[in-house]
Amino acid sequence: MGRRDHSDSSSITMAATDHIFALIDCNNFYASCERIFNPGLEKKPVVVLSNNDGCIISRSNEAKALGIPMGAPLFEMQALIKKQEVKVLSSNYALYGDMSQRVMATLMEFSPDIEIYSIDEAFLSLNGFEHKNMTDYAQTIRATVKQRTGIPVSIGIGATKTLAKVANKAAKKNSAWQSVFDLVNHPYVDEVLEKMPVENVWGIGRSLSKTLNRHGVLNALQLKNLPDTWIRKNMTVVGHRLAWELRGISCLPLDMVVPPKKGIMCSRSFGKPVTALEGLKEALSNYTTRAAEKLRSQNSLAGLIMVYITTNPFNDMPYYSNAVTFSLPFPSANTAVLIRHAHQIMEKIYKDGYAYKKTGVFLSGIVPDNQMQRDMFVKEPDLVREKKLLRAVDAINYQFGSDTIQYASSGMIKPWRMKQAYRSPRFTTRWDEILTVKI
DNA sequence: TCTGGGGTCCTAGGACCC
DNA sequence: TCTGGGGTCCTAGGACCC
């Protein structure tokens, strides 16, 4: 997300001048959001689960201290959770999305140049603020976010985005720094890099760290000092950029405008397996509706639609998965059209006799909805009317809650719906679930 | 018997991120 | 019993063209 699209992918574009980047990162974001509305969670181990209550995807510091790993399946942790009285919550994305917007709105007051990198992270450019004490300024940002939203953040400052990431990790690690670390005005950058394991560097994943370790590269400083030729050969242009960033040469600019998505995915695991074609089509209708909404919200049309189904890959039942892509006669953002094609694909890939765990739809071949390719051999629908209708439906669903108006093929009972046994109320986005205070 | 080479476009798959 | 979802970028290799 948020990466620059280099026209020549094998080249490295360097920044002309010195930069100051700050990376602001919400601490244990989902767990922190839950705490704000439920003070009973304060100082207690808290974990938030993935969709369908499958894995642990956010942990409070207390939960981390108990040794609960990121991404652990819930059932593997049940004994520990019970013994240590860990508080467990299903994920509540309506709440997290809304809290994220509040945090980002606050950050924007501290610099006009901001890149919202993910739901819980943003880069700020602090160019032009050189006259200020960076650490003090960052502490002010931190205090303001905390006061307005209740969310604790950590801030790392560096000459490149990658160094700001390094600084952010350092800020979290050493409590003496009070969640702020400035690597621009730090005399011993190399010492900090030397203490950072290479697998913790932004952009170094499992595979690359294995290769690097094999060549004796264990920390970020060693990576920084590798010969360019070796890096280019073994780590492609991505690794090359990364090493330069560690050397303080900015190659990853701040992306302030959000480019439209090139692909839109919507998929969910089922609460319980689905065997019948009708159930799969019903779930698929719902997911296609969501995907089409996302498509319209960025004023795009999709030219390709892919549908896939899969059984559970983890158990030893007979496994089956399949996916088929279909090229639409002309690009569309019309939910009804997309559902019709999605269903046709589903009928093709469905095989009787399997217990399906998941289905999903992926829309790609994205084009802006105002410069659609005209195909003179295909009869076009009345696009203006269609757009008006869809906008009206979107507006109603936005105001009164999604699925206020829904397609009949989406079903009413939805027995396949994902598990959310521990979900907190949508405090900030639903009037009927707003927080009440008893006096 | 001899059997080119270079360019572009597209796709699948891998790797990474949060 | 129980294992998330949604993105981006890069490269290699095949198809196709001249």
Side-chain angles (χ1 to χ4, degrees), chain A residues 295-296 299-305 326-335 337-338 340-341 363-376 378-383 386-387 390:
Chain A
L295 191 62
R296 292 194 293 271
N299 301 310
S300 297
L301 306 170
L304 292 167
I305 178 168
F326 176 77
S327 182
L328 299 174
F330 50 87
S332 176
N334 185 335
T335 305
V337 171
L338 295 170
R340 185 158 42 93
H341 290 298
L363 304 176
S364 59
I366 307 263
V367 293
D369 66 1
N370 56 359
Q371 33 179 284
M372 195 188 100
Q373 288 281 330
R374 299 291 158 141
D375 183 338
M376 55 194 287
V378 176
K379 192 166 175 250
E380 288 175 24
D382 185 346
L383 289 171
E386 174 189 300
K387 195 167 165 178
L390 290 165

Side-chain angles (χ1 to χ4, degrees), chain A residues 38-103:
Chain A
N38 185 351
L41 303 175
E42 212 63 51
K43 313 248 189 245
K44 302 235 169 74
V46 177
V47 298
V48 177
L49 306 177
S50 63
N51 274 334
N52 216 30
D53 293 346
C55 302
I56 290 162
I57 55 166
S58 179
R59 305 154 295 155
S60 70
N61 289 341
E62 296 80 2
K64 287 177 187 173
L66 291 174
I68 298 174
M70 176 70 175
L74 175 63
F75 71 91
E76 283 179 8
M77 294 289 120
Q78 281 296 14
L80 181 65
I81 283 170
K82 201 164 174 201
K83 189 169 163 224
Q84 300 288 344
E85 297 180 3
V86 177
K87 308 281 182 184
V88 178
L89 293 144
S90 303
S91 45
N92 184 346
Y93 286 102
L95 178 65
Y96 312 149
D98 187 63
M99 291 307 296
S100 174
Q101 281 185 26
R102 291 164 198 249
V103 170

